[in-house]
Amino acid sequence: MQIDSLPRFSLAHLPTPVEELKTLSRRLAGPELLIKRDDQTGLALGGNKTRKLEFLLGEAIAKGADTLVTLGAAQSNHCRQTAAAAAKAGLNCELILNGKKPEVANGNLLLDEILGANLHWIERSQRAAKLAELDAQLRGQGRKPYLIPVGGSNGVGATGYVVAMLELMEQLRMSGRRVDHILFGTSSGGTQAGIVLGARVAGFTGKLHGLSIDKNDPEHFEYEAEVAQIANDCAAYIGSPVRVTRDEVKVVYGYKGEGYGVVGDLERDAIRLLARSEGIVLDPVYAGRAFGGLVDLIRRGVFKPSETVLFWHTGGAPALFAYAKELA
Ligand SMILES: *Cc1c(COP(=O)(O)O)cnc(C)c1O
């Protein structure tokens, strides 16, 4: 393995803390609960994309790029962290966002503008065409764009989560803890790919649960294969002989509610529960939904009270402010 010799641009405050959720564990009469604070990666309010961007930026700079181009939803945490990473590295940033420019920019979108990104609004169905057009246009102007896929989820980006899993294993070793289950929200797959591959590389023996925040089985039954593909691209990138099969990728379905970005009781209750028992703030789209799913699984007795479950907080809280109406 050659992670240490891969191009990397430092962005994150690492290691992120692992904390005990004592009050909440007691309240739920459930398993021991831990939280890994990747909402605290530090870059412009933090989140999981910062870890992926360290390796994506590394490659972009090594290739001589002067502009980052990526895409996402209007409240994309990935776009906001990409805009911040570009600013820090002295690169331009072009963001292709779904939908129409809202009257008031709030949450992540407000930060995109503050961070100096150039915004392009399009219909979601036009994404691929717009990306190709923008790429050609920038090249025509003599610029050197580096394209980052949705969520930064490819083999290069997932490397950030292989490193994260090695980091967590070291934290568990130092504290003498054993973790039986790790649960996190999953959407574009890079985080899960890195965690699954990192677990194999580091010899983690507990169970990994990616809770899908935007798909319901079997509608997207290829998702596990997509995650395994990203993990294997990542293994090739880092020079690991490990190969991940789709059966090793465990996805929890059934929590997508009314769909991506639509806040319901599950998220509202989960956000309040964690805030009021531990003073930790979740987000409405990803971590709030994933945590709501975890609480439901705990209440249904899926985990033994003697077990330890770690929730990987992937960030996203800036989006809370764009959902003020739905959350009130
Ligand atoms: C992007 C994101 C996720 C999902 O990560 P993927 O690598 O896209 O699966 C989870 N939580 C938050 C807050 C995110 O922004």
Side-chain angles (χ1 to χ4, degrees), residues 48-49 52 77 153 185-191 286 314-316:
N48 63 339
K49 305 311 181 303
K52 302 179 186 182
N77 299 300
S153 288
T186 188
S187 174
S188 67
T191 302
Y286 296 93
T314 44

Side-chain angles (χ1 to χ4, degrees), residues 14-42:
L14 302 178
T16 57
V18 174
E19 296 167 355
E20 296 179 340
L21 301 178
K22 281 197 176 150
T23 309
L24 185 61
S25 299
R26 213 178 313 119
R27 264 200 192 182
L28 295 172
E32 189 177 342
L33 295 172
L34 302 176
I35 191 164
K36 174 80 168 148
R37 300 292 305 273
D38 274 12
D39 56 319
Q40 302 292 320
T41 53

Side-chain angles (χ1 to χ4, degrees), residues 38-39 46-49 52 75-81 108 150-153 158 161 184-194 211 213-215 223 227 230 260 282-288 290 312-318:
D38 274 12
D39 56 319
N48 63 339
K49 305 311 181 303
K52 302 179 186 182
Q75 283 300 325
S76 166
N77 299 300
H78 163 65
C79 287
R80 182 246 312 160
Q81 288 162 85
N108 283 304
V150 173
S153 288
Y161 269 88
F184 45 87
T186 188
S187 174
S188 67
T191 302
Q192 185 161 18
L211 189 141
I213 61 97
D214 57 3
K215 301 167 190 72
Y223 186 63
V227 173
I230 298 170
Y260 177 86
L282 293 163
D283 84 301
V285 180
Y286 296 93
W312 207 311
H313 190 340
T314 44

Side-chain angles (χ1 to χ4, degrees), residues 200-239:
R200 286 278 305 280
V201 168
F204 176 75
T205 53
K207 293 198 172 78
L208 305 170
H209 312 262
L211 189 141
S212 177
I213 61 97
D214 57 3
K215 301 167 190 72
N216 273 348
D217 191 41
E219 162 198 354
H220 283 85
F221 62 96
E222 289 304 321
Y223 186 63
E224 289 82 351
E226 282 171 37
V227 173
Q229 181 64 53
I230 298 170
N232 288 327
D233 290 347
C234 183
Y237 186 64
I238 68 175

